[in-house]
RNA sequence: GUGGCCGUAGCUCAGGUGGUUAGAGCGCCAGGUUGUGGCCCUGGAGGUCGGGGGUUCAAGUCCCCUCGGUCACCCCA
């Protein structure tokens, strides 16, 4: 047991697993970039207020934040979620709308780790601000769906709901509150139900589950703005061939959501944590952070959970090899250095052995690396100014003049 | 925050009722093959038995504490 280990709830992602990680991020970036989303890079810690402002009654903010005072006495929190920082940046810089951004960043939540849950986890996500056009909802939800589909995931359920807006939600909340007042709730929500009755719908405990069985549903009380908005989102998704289920209990963990909320659940994950992505519309968030009224919508997807789901479904294995070519040099190693440099300069992924190991050892290393080709520089080749090119799959090899090596390798690699 | 299970080589694990120098497989290194990988054979390196305390003539093995891992509840990616 090493003296120092990664802190509780964190882990190290090393090669070769990290290559899969990088490939996932690249895939995500490609998908959303093609839809006009630009990368936003920001701090991974913020003034505590950025998060407090957006979710006072949520677990994430109430009891899971990593908070501390920095040396200047500022109250800091490691970001527990991705939306508030992007919205804070939007309010600070006021970029032209629609502002469509994507990110990849770590999130921190002080929870007990378990399968698919960490204290530091990583999310890729998008945020789009500046319009409440339901077509944007469709675009954003579709991106989330397509990213997962693109990885090869098939066993997924898209849950959809609408939480209404300022026009219809207050009246609904009163109804819900009145309904819940006659029920026995779990100890957690006995008091909190007044503060935020929606939370009760989300509670998994038996008491609350039973109490909310016949509760009024927000989707049945949407106003004349929200109802057609929600209907258009559904029509749009249907038109794109994206299947979804209306889930009236879907509240999500953060308070800022309005209208559309959604969650992508994996049917392949057997653990309790099966949400691989989630998000929704947050039309009041910019104002809460001191900005001009600006509607927005976004989602986040958990990289760890996406990869877990991929494991379960046996898809998205990641890159097979790290390099295509391995240089074997028994003349001291300088020739390997020179040859590797030339190949790398030509865009061919190349590695080599160090420490003047035996030819046998170098070939073993070549084999283990997964390289398809070994280049051999021994005494004979060095003397003749040649290089032996060996196909590690078939075992066939030929010796060519050193200047022709790159061309030969390219041909063998099928480029 | 609460609870279950588990901590022996880099990894996966053996080590009845406590008793001599703690083992295996895989991996790693070297040799068999003084210019060649995958298969095979041989050898080698590698362990504060998570840590601390206690019981005992004697603790990997029993007791306590602690740290860590894992799974679950709540909630979430």
């Amino acid at each position: 047991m090493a003296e120092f280990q990664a802190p509780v709830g964190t882990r190290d992602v090393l090669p070769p697993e990290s290559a899969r990680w990088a490939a996932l991020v690249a895939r995500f970036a490609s998908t959303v970039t093609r839809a006009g989303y630009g990368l936003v890079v920001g701090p991974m810690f913020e003034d505590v207020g950025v998060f407090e402002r957006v979710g006072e009654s949520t677990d994430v903010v109430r009891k899971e934040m990593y908070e501390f005072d920095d040396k200047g006495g500022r109250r800091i929190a490691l970001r527990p979620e991705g939306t508030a920082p992007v919205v804070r940046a939007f309010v600070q810089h006021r970029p032209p709308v629609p502002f469509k951004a994507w990110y990849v960043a770590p999130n921190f939540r002080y929870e007990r780790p378990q399968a698919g849950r960490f204290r530091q986890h990583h999310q890729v996500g998008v945020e789009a601000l500046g319009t409440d056009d339901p077509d944007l909802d469709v675009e954003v939800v579709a991106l989330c769906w397509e990213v997962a589909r693109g990885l090869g995931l098939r066993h997924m359920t898209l849950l959809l709901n609408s939480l209404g807006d300022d026009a219809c939600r207050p009246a609904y909340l009163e109804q819900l509150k009145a309904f819940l007042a006659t029920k026995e709730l779990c100890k957690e929500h006995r008091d909190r139900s007044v503060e935020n009755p929606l939370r009760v719908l989300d509670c998994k405990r038996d008491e609350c589950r039973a109490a909310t069985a016949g509760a009024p549903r927000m989707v049945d009380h949407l106003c004349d703005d929200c109802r057609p908005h929600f209907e258009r989102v559904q029509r749009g998704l249907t038109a794109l061939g994206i299947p979804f289920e209306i889930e009236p209990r879907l509240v999500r963990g953060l308070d800022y959501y309005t209208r559309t909320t959604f969650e992508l659940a994996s049917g392949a994950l057997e653990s309790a944590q099966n949400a691989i992505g989630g998000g929704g519309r947050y039309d009041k968030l910019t104002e809460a952070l001191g900005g001009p009224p600006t509607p927005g919508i976004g989602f986040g997807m958990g990289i760890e959970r996406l990869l877990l789901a991929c494991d379960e479904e046996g898809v998205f294995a990641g890159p097979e090899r790290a390099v295509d070519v391995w240089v074997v040099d028994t003349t001291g190693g300088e020739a390997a250095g020179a040859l590797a440099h030339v190949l790398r300069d030509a865009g061919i992924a190349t590695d080599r052995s160090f420490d003047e190991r035996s030819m046998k050892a170098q070939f073993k290393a070549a084999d283990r690396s997964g390289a398809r080709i070994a280049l051999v520089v021994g005494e004979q080749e060095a003397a003749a100014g040649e290089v032996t090119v060996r196909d590690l799959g078939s075992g066939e090899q030929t010796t060519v003049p050193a200047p022709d090596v790159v061309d030969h390798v390219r041909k063998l690699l099928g480029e």
Side-chain angles (χ1 to χ4, degrees), chain A residues 15 38 56 78 118 127 131 174 187 201 216 229 243 336 363 380 399 407:
Chain A
E56 283 181 10
L78 266 35
F118 306 91
E127 308 295 345
T131 172
E174 285 310 313
K187 59 183 187 320
L201 294 179
H229 184 277
F363 264 97
Q380 291 166 28
T399 301
D407 284 343

Side-chain angles (χ1 to χ4, degrees), chain A residues 86-380:
Chain A
V86 172
V87 172
R88 191 230 82 223
F90 174 84
V91 169
Q92 180 177 336
H93 302 287
R94 302 285 191 87
V97 296
F99 176 64
K100 306 211 294 187
W102 73 274
Y103 60 82
V104 51
N107 284 355
F108 304 87
R109 295 178 194 170
Y110 194 87
E111 311 175 86
R112 278 287 280 275
Q114 67 186 76
R117 199 174 72 184
F118 306 91
R119 286 187 175 175
Q120 176 178 334
H121 77 276
H122 300 79
Q123 287 188 17
V124 288
V126 306
E127 308 295 345
L129 291 104
T131 172
D132 65 354
D133 188 330
D135 285 358
L136 179 63
D137 300 45
V138 173
E139 174 176 299
V140 166
V141 175
L143 280 173
C144 183
W145 176 260
E146 288 306 329
V147 165
R149 287 278 301 181
L151 295 175
L153 295 174
R154 292 297 178 269
H155 302 289
M156 299 184 295
T157 305
L158 176 61
L159 302 173
L160 193 67
N161 192 23
S162 176
L163 297 179
D165 64 8
D166 283 349
C168 49
R169 180 147 53 168
Y172 164 75
L173 288 181
E174 285 310 313
Q175 278 194 41
L176 181 59
K177 219 180 288 186
F179 177 87
L180 293 174
T182 66
K183 305 289 185 181
E184 269 309 310
L185 302 178
C186 76
K187 59 183 187 320
E188 175 85 1
H189 289 104
R190 221 155 282 158
D191 306 320
R192 278 222 275 161
S193 68
V194 182
E195 184 185 339
N196 188 346
L198 283 179
R199 290 252 80 81
V200 184
L201 294 179
D202 202 34
C203 184
K204 306 295 188 299
R205 291 197 175 89
D206 290 343
E207 302 96 302
C208 287
R209 219 60 189 170
T212 56
R217 305 159 16 135
M218 184 69 237
V219 288
D220 296 327
H221 296 76
L222 295 175
C223 60
D224 290 342
D225 288 329
C226 290
R227 197 182 326 105
H229 184 277
F230 191 43
E231 285 166 357
R232 173 125 182 196
V233 172
Q234 296 175 58
R235 275 208 310 280
L237 290 173
T238 301
L240 295 179
I242 297 174
F244 59 88
E245 291 176 16
I246 304 293
E247 172 50 270
R249 309 178 77 110
L250 182 66
V251 171
R252 313 248 346 119
L254 298 156
D255 285 343
Y256 49 64
Y257 287 118
T258 54
R259 292 188 168 173
T260 307
T261 59
F262 64 99
E263 186 169 297
L264 193 57
S266 168
L269 292 180
E270 297 198 0
S271 64
Q273 275 62 237
N274 66 351
I276 54 180
R281 184 164 273 291
Y282 42 83
D283 292 340
K284 295 296 168 186
L285 189 50
T286 52
E287 289 165 79
L289 289 173
T294 311
I297 181 170
F299 70 79
M301 304 182 87
I303 294 179
E304 288 85 350
R305 287 193 190 169
L306 280 169
L307 291 177
L308 278 175
C310 287
D311 288 341
E312 289 303 315
E313 294 201 31
V315 299
F316 197 64
E320 286 180 24
R321 72 192 91 242
V323 294
D324 290 315
V325 176
W326 196 277
V327 184
V328 173
D329 174 7
T330 56
T331 67
E334 288 180 28
L339 201 46
H341 182 75
V342 168
L343 285 150
R344 290 165 181 167
D345 197 46
I348 299 166
T350 305
D351 204 353
R352 53 164 292 194
S353 299
F354 294 94
D355 300 321
E356 299 193 45
R357 307 230 284 149
S358 69
M359 180 169 281
K360 177 173 178 169
Q362 293 189 50
F363 264 97
K364 277 186 100 129
D367 190 50
R368 269 197 306 271
S369 77
R372 295 155 68 186
I373 293 170
L375 300 181
V376 185
V377 181
E379 299 299 338
Q380 291 166 28

